Amino acid sequence: MTTLRRFWIEFDTQECSDGLLQQGVGVSGFDVRDCLSMVADLVRDRPLPPVSRITVDISLAEPLPVSRRYLGVSVWRGVWYPPVNLETGPSRSIDRRGAPCDYPTPVTQSRPRRASETLCTKATWWDEIPHIGSLLWPLVNMHRTEYGRGMRSSATVLREVCATDSTYGVMVREALDFMVAWHPTPDEWFDPTETRFADQRDLDEYLRAFRDYLFGTRPEPIYPPGSEPLSPEDAWLDAISRLVVTRPGPVDAPGSERLSPDTEPRLPQNE
């Protein structure tokens, strides 16, 4: 069996009345008929409209006619736009009988953008990381300073996904093994993650700990600088700062003294 490839399939808009298919369909499979058979499962009660164009090895780094926020998992076999495989998981059974026999010759996408171009960085070592085009979230974006404390919950989810989906797990592990072996400098890591490590030893330990947490027995990764959990007091102030205040006057913190002498207490003094 050959490896999975990403396909973007477009249909004749004049004859396509199904809203699921009008913008195009993203699907990963072994060949064109494999992909078309999975698309046909989306409209089982009627035939597929005529196919106008099929693009092979579509890069998700290139502009798509749909928002990236609504994509499924493109490294799984199945339909990832619409994001069907987020509900079904990877497709296991193979049945090409639902695929039409008449479709245009697939075209191969022109040179996909390299990782250094996608990430707007001059550090070209990112281009060499295995599967980088499909793994920007676990390898780059999760580690950005702006994401901060979100990594504490996302790392747990990523660990579970790598354990339950062996194909995805192998890809992430291969990429992390490369990154650990490369020993990126703090400057190389800062561009484009914008997360600064004090020295090489701290960054090396961070990457090894992240890999060992996902695929070993380490109970916790090392979280990047700036991701420390807030104290209860700071968490309360952060929550208050996110509220839309519709009445004037200060608000009392739980268990604290009144913030202003002009503020009326919430409870009588004897309670």
Side-chain angles (χ1 to χ4, degrees), residues 155-156 159 208-216 218-221:
T156 303
R159 187 185 196 185
R208 287 195 303 268
F210 187 61
R211 180 194 58 189
D212 295 343
Y213 169 72
L214 294 180
F215 303 105
R218 186 182 178 97
E220 288 262 346

Side-chain angles (χ1 to χ4, degrees), residues 14-27:
Q14 299 297 320
E15 300 189 38
C16 180
S17 59
D18 196 310
L20 282 175
L21 310 179
Q22 285 183 339
Q23 292 182 287
V25 177
V27 57

Side-chain angles (χ1 to χ4, degrees), residues 21-203:
L21 310 179
Q22 285 183 339
Q23 292 182 287
V25 177
V27 57
S28 295
F30 300 116
D31 54 35
V32 174
R33 294 208 65 194
D34 182 37
C35 291
L36 285 172
S37 67
M38 289 185 282
V39 177
D41 284 340
L42 299 179
V43 290
R44 291 183 179 180
D45 58 339
R46 53 194 182 281
L48 284 175
V51 179
S52 61
R53 180 182 175 90
I54 302 175
T55 305
V56 188
D57 299 326
I58 187 78
S59 171
L60 300 188
E62 293 294 326
L64 292 175
V66 297
S67 172
R68 289 187 177 86
R69 294 187 299 171
Y70 304 111
L71 302 184
V73 183
S74 65
V75 296
W76 289 348
R77 178 175 173 270
V79 177
W80 43 267
Y81 185 83
V84 175
N85 65 8
L86 288 181
E87 297 182 0
T88 63
S91 299
R92 306 297 182 185
S93 61
I94 300 177
D95 184 358
R96 293 178 168 85
R97 287 176 297 178
C101 297
D102 185 20
Y103 49 80
T105 302
V107 298
T108 303
Q109 188 181 32
S110 58
R111 181 188 72 85
R113 295 178 65 186
R114 297 173 66 80
S116 56
E117 297 171 335
T118 302
L119 299 171
C120 300
T121 174
K122 296 180 180 178
T124 57
W125 76 281
W126 292 95
D127 297 328
E128 308 304 322
I129 299 175
H131 322 298
I132 182 64
S134 301
L135 300 176
L136 289 180
W137 171 247
L139 301 183
V140 184
N141 295 332
M142 186 183 293
H143 308 273
R144 291 184 187 272
T145 297
E146 63 186 20
Y147 189 60
R149 298 173 185 86
M151 181 181 172
R152 292 183 173 270
S153 58
S154 293
T156 303
V157 174
L158 177 61
R159 187 185 196 185
E160 294 173 353
V161 171
C162 290
T164 56
D165 183 355
S166 58
T167 301
Y168 187 74
V170 167
M171 292 173 62
V172 174
R173 179 155 196 165
E174 287 179 355
L176 284 175
D177 284 345
F178 177 92
M179 294 168 74
V180 169
W182 180 273
H183 297 292
T185 67
D187 285 341
E188 287 176 327
W189 185 254
F190 181 79
D191 180 14
T193 65
E194 297 183 350
T195 298
R196 177 69 69 186
F197 281 84
D199 56 36
Q200 186 71 56
R201 183 179 59 182
D202 289 346
L203 177 54

